[in-house]
Each structure stands twice: as C-alpha cells, then as structure tokens.
Amino acid sequence: MKNLLTLLALCFTLILNAQWIKDTSCNKKASLVANKAIEYALNLEYLPAFGAANSALLIDKDCGCAKLTLAFISSSNPKWGNRAKKLKEINTSKLTSEEKGWYDYMSASSDNKKTLETSLVSKFPKSPLINYLATSVNDFNSFKVFAKKFPAYSSSAHNMISYGYMNGAYGEKNEVEAMKYVKLAQKLHDGPNSYDSMAEHYASMGDYKNALKTQLKAVDFGSFSSPYMRYAQVYSAKTDAANISEKIMANQKALQKAQTTSDYESYKKFEHPEITVTAGDSNLNPFYVYTKEDVTKETPITWEVFEFSDMKTYFSPDMKTAVVSFEADGAYVVKATNKTVSYATRGSSTWVNTDDGWKILHTSFAPRKGKVGIPQMN
C-alpha cells in the first residue's frame, strides 16, 4: 500500500507538467494549454478538449497542436464529419515531426492505420500521444502496456483497463479490479469521464443508488447540457422504478375510465402532440389510430363494470418506455337488446416518458381463452 501511494503521489506530481506532445509548434504557454486539451480528448471529454484547444489558439493562433486536437475530436464521417476539412486547413510545414505524425495518423485510411501505428511508435517511442494511438479495445492488454510505460499519462488507459475487467477481457469478470483501476484513473485526471465509467460499473452490478451518486459527480463538472445527464436520469429512474411503475398503472386505470365514460377532458392528459396513438380492440378488428373522436363517439354499449388485475410493468433499458400487461374483467350492457354481457380480456399498453410526463402510445386487448371482449362496432 505504501508503494502504491508513493507511485500515485509521483504520478500526480508528474501530470501537473505532463506533455502528451513535448515538441510542439506552439509557444510555451499555448503548449501547456494544448497538451491539456489532448489530455481531455484522450479521456473522451471532448467538450473540455474543445474549450482548451480554442484557449490555446487565443494564446498562439499558429498552435498546430491545438488545431490537431480540434480535428481529432471532430467526426471522420465523410458524409457529415468535419475532420477532413480541419486537417486540410492546417499548414503541415509548420508542424513539428511529432505533430506531423499525429496529422498523418488522422489522415490515413482505416486500412493503413495499423501499419502506420507501428511505424509511428517506432519513430516516437517516448511520445505518450503516439503510443496511446496504438492502444485498442481489440487488445485490452495494450492499455496495460501503455500504463506501465507512461504511468503519469495513464488515466485513460486505467479507465479502459477497468472496462476490460468488467467485460472479461482479462479472464473472468472482476468487479474489484475494475473499481480499483477506475479509481486510479480518477486520481490521475480530474475530469468527468471516469466518474461516468464508475457509475456504469455500479449499474452493471445492479447498484443504481451508487450509480446515480457517482454519475452526478460527472454531471457536476458542467451541469448545463451535460452529456452525462442522460444516464443520471436513467439511474434515478431505476432507483425509483417501483414508484414509477405504480404511477403508470394508475395512469392506465385513469385512462381506461376516461375512455369508458367518454371523458375526453380526462383522457387528453395522457396524450402528447407528437405521438400518434394506436389501438387494437378486443373484437379483434384491425389496429387503428385512436383520436378524440374515438373517445367521444356514441357506442353501442354502456359499461357497468371494468376492472384491471394482474398488472405488471416492464421498462426499456433507458427507462423511457414502459409496457403494462394486465387482465381486464367487467360487464357491459348492449343498448339495442338491453342484454348484459360478461367481459374478460388480457391486454397491454405502451407508455413513453416525455418531457411532459408519461404518455400513451399504444393499447391492445384480446379476449381471454373462451371469453368475450367488446362487440363489433362501426
């Protein structure tokens, strides 16, 4: 433990002056900021990387390292990505050889990258950036090799190693080792991504309380429009799944009551202007789009009783969609004959979590075996 603490203290001291590219085309002050931008980028924190790279360019408008970072965090997708354009705008004659190596790597086709990685690492064996480019999720041991060679720069590598232990890349899944390495990542780099990773590890273990607590630490680095907010909301919903389930089932009952009593004012609370609601009735007619007219139109029956039972709620992984399954029993009177009919169906409904709350998307009923649903209607 003493040796580990000593190593961590040493790494912390070194990283204060960590230079991913030591030989840059930037002036001294801009070089420090540009290297910080690279650190953010390699830790998958692209928004801070964007800010740091542009800050470096305010100090030195010719800082090639910052321009390369902006290209790196842009998409390489040829249909909409901006990386190729940004690379084209860089004057390569002003880049250092190390920067030019990074430029060539980003410019290379996917088929040529592997060969280029080998040659670049051979040419720049002491460059943390160039060596990190050669790591790959196809070989999780490559992150261990990098971390051993460049301990002061290994935050992102440690983070990836933690995923390797969680997904079984190093043998059996090892949650203890995964947490150990993600904590090492946090000690070496003060940024949100490792907290996002730790939260994901907690979630994979079913510990959504700690997942939420940790995810909120990632959000706290920059709360407005945080890319980490989505999973904070997911983990929050998972910790409250039982209460949400009860609410949706209550919504289902209120929705059905509004339908059976032709009360559109109550029904419309569950509509969303951008959702087309579809339905399938227990008379087994084709599915159709359900609108206000269907709620308020005259029907050939009058409901005496309608009750749900055996209601269960099932959520999508992102907690944005819920399916409620149920059985429904009751009785209705046929207006034309004044005959009372016993009703027994099983069904399901789909609800969507919108910015305006849970809204109905689809409902389907079918008669239970040997039982009766609603009659044919015009």
Side-chain angles (χ1 to χ4, degrees):
M1 177 61 72
K2 183 178 179 181
N3 290 336
L4 176 60
L5 293 174
T6 302
L7 174 62
L8 290 175
L10 175 62
C11 289
F12 180 76
T13 301
L14 290 173
I15 205 165
L16 293 176
N17 297 303
Q19 297 289 286
W20 285 89
I21 293 184
K22 291 183 172 61
D23 183 20
T24 75
S25 57
C26 317
N27 65 36
K28 187 174 182 180
K29 290 183 178 179
S31 179
L32 290 173
V33 180
N35 270 279
K36 191 65 177 177
I38 295 174
E39 181 185 331
Y40 284 130
L42 296 185
N43 278 279
L44 306 182
E45 296 160 357
Y46 282 9
L47 294 180
F50 177 87
N54 278 290
S55 296
L57 288 170
L58 288 175
I59 299 170
D60 179 0
K61 64 182 179 63
D62 295 319
C63 180
C65 198
K67 294 178 181 179
L68 288 166
T69 300
L70 292 175
F72 181 77
I73 64 176
S74 299
S75 173
S76 60
N77 189 301
K79 293 183 178 179
W80 57 270
N82 207 22
R83 179 180 292 178
K85 179 177 179 292
K86 289 180 178 177
L87 288 173
K88 189 176 181 179
E89 293 172 349
I90 295 174
N91 184 348
T92 57
S93 67
K94 293 186 177 182
L95 299 178
T96 66
S97 59
E98 197 174 350
E99 289 174 333
K100 182 61 167 54
W102 191 16
Y103 176 93
D104 291 340
Y105 178 83
M106 285 191 280
S107 302
S109 67
S110 56
D111 293 336
N112 294 332
K113 267 188 167 60
K114 193 62 184 176
T115 302
L116 186 58
E117 287 172 4
T118 302
S119 64
L120 286 174
V121 169
S122 177
K123 186 176 181 180
F124 303 102
K126 295 183 179 181
S127 168
L129 172 64
I130 298 300
N131 279 262
Y132 196 78
L133 295 177
T135 61
S136 171
V137 293
N138 294 320
D139 178 13
F140 272 86
N141 281 315
S142 64
F143 297 108
K144 286 195 171 185
V145 171
F146 177 88
K148 184 176 181 180
K149 188 175 181 179
F150 300 98
Y153 302 82
S154 59
S155 173
S156 183
H158 283 150
N159 192 64
M160 294 307 298
I161 292 169
S162 77
Y163 277 100
Y165 279 111
M166 286 300 289
N167 66 25
Y170 300 117
E172 291 293 323
K173 180 179 179 180
N174 191 325
E175 297 167 352
V176 174
E177 285 295 297
M179 285 301 187
K180 182 184 83 172
Y181 275 97
V182 78
K183 288 176 183 178
L184 285 174
Q186 292 167 1
K187 290 180 182 296
L188 289 169
H189 171 71
D190 185 27
N193 187 60
S194 59
Y195 291 99
D196 175 67
S197 299
M198 178 179 274
E200 188 176 343
H201 296 340
Y202 276 126
S204 71
M205 294 185 278
D207 185 353
Y208 295 110
K209 182 178 180 180
N210 274 317
L212 173 60
K213 181 180 178 180
T214 308
Q215 190 72 15
L216 289 174
K217 291 181 180 179
V219 173
D220 194 49
F221 276 85
S223 60
F224 181 74
S225 297
S226 171
Y228 306 102
M229 181 62 80
R230 174 176 170 244
Y231 276 103
Q233 293 170 336
V234 171
Y235 302 147
S236 177
K238 285 184 179 291
T239 61
D240 198 35
N243 289 330
I244 296 172
S245 176
E246 289 295 328
K247 179 178 180 180
I248 295 172
M249 289 189 289
N251 285 354
Q252 180 66 44
K253 293 176 181 178
L255 176 82
Q256 190 66 41
K257 182 179 180 181
Q259 291 174 305
T260 56
T261 59
S262 300
D263 180 5
Y264 181 69
E265 287 302 308
S266 296
Y267 174 85
K268 71 180 183 181
K269 293 186 296 184
F270 306 108
E271 289 184 305
H272 189 281
E274 296 180 37
I275 294 178
T276 298
V277 180
T278 55
D281 293 333
S282 56
N283 56 20
L284 303 184
N285 279 349
F287 289 108
Y288 62 99
V289 174
Y290 194 85
T291 66
K292 177 182 179 179
E293 292 182 359
D294 295 293
V295 179
T296 59
K297 72 181 180 181
E298 184 73 19
T299 64
I301 63 174
T302 301
W303 286 97
E304 289 189 334
V305 182
F306 190 106
E307 295 179 340
F308 285 111
S309 63
D310 196 26
M311 299 184 81
K312 295 182 177 69
T313 309
Y314 305 90
F315 292 100
S316 62
D318 63 1
M319 300 296 288
K320 289 292 187 180
T321 305
V323 173
V324 181
S325 65
F326 48 77
E327 290 190 352
D329 293 87
Y332 57 82
V333 176
V334 180
K335 294 177 181 178
T337 63
N338 205 34
K339 177 183 177 182
T340 300
V341 178
S342 294
Y343 169 91
T345 63
R346 57 107 175 118
S348 64
S349 61
T350 304
W351 293 78
V352 179
N353 189 11
T354 71
D355 291 338
D356 194 30
W358 287 93
K359 302 298 180 182
I360 189 66
L361 175 65
H362 176 75
T363 304
S364 178
F365 290 82
R368 297 208 297 274
K369 188 174 183 179
K371 304 296 183 178
V372 177
I374 64 173
Q376 297 294 324
M377 299 184 186
N378 295 328

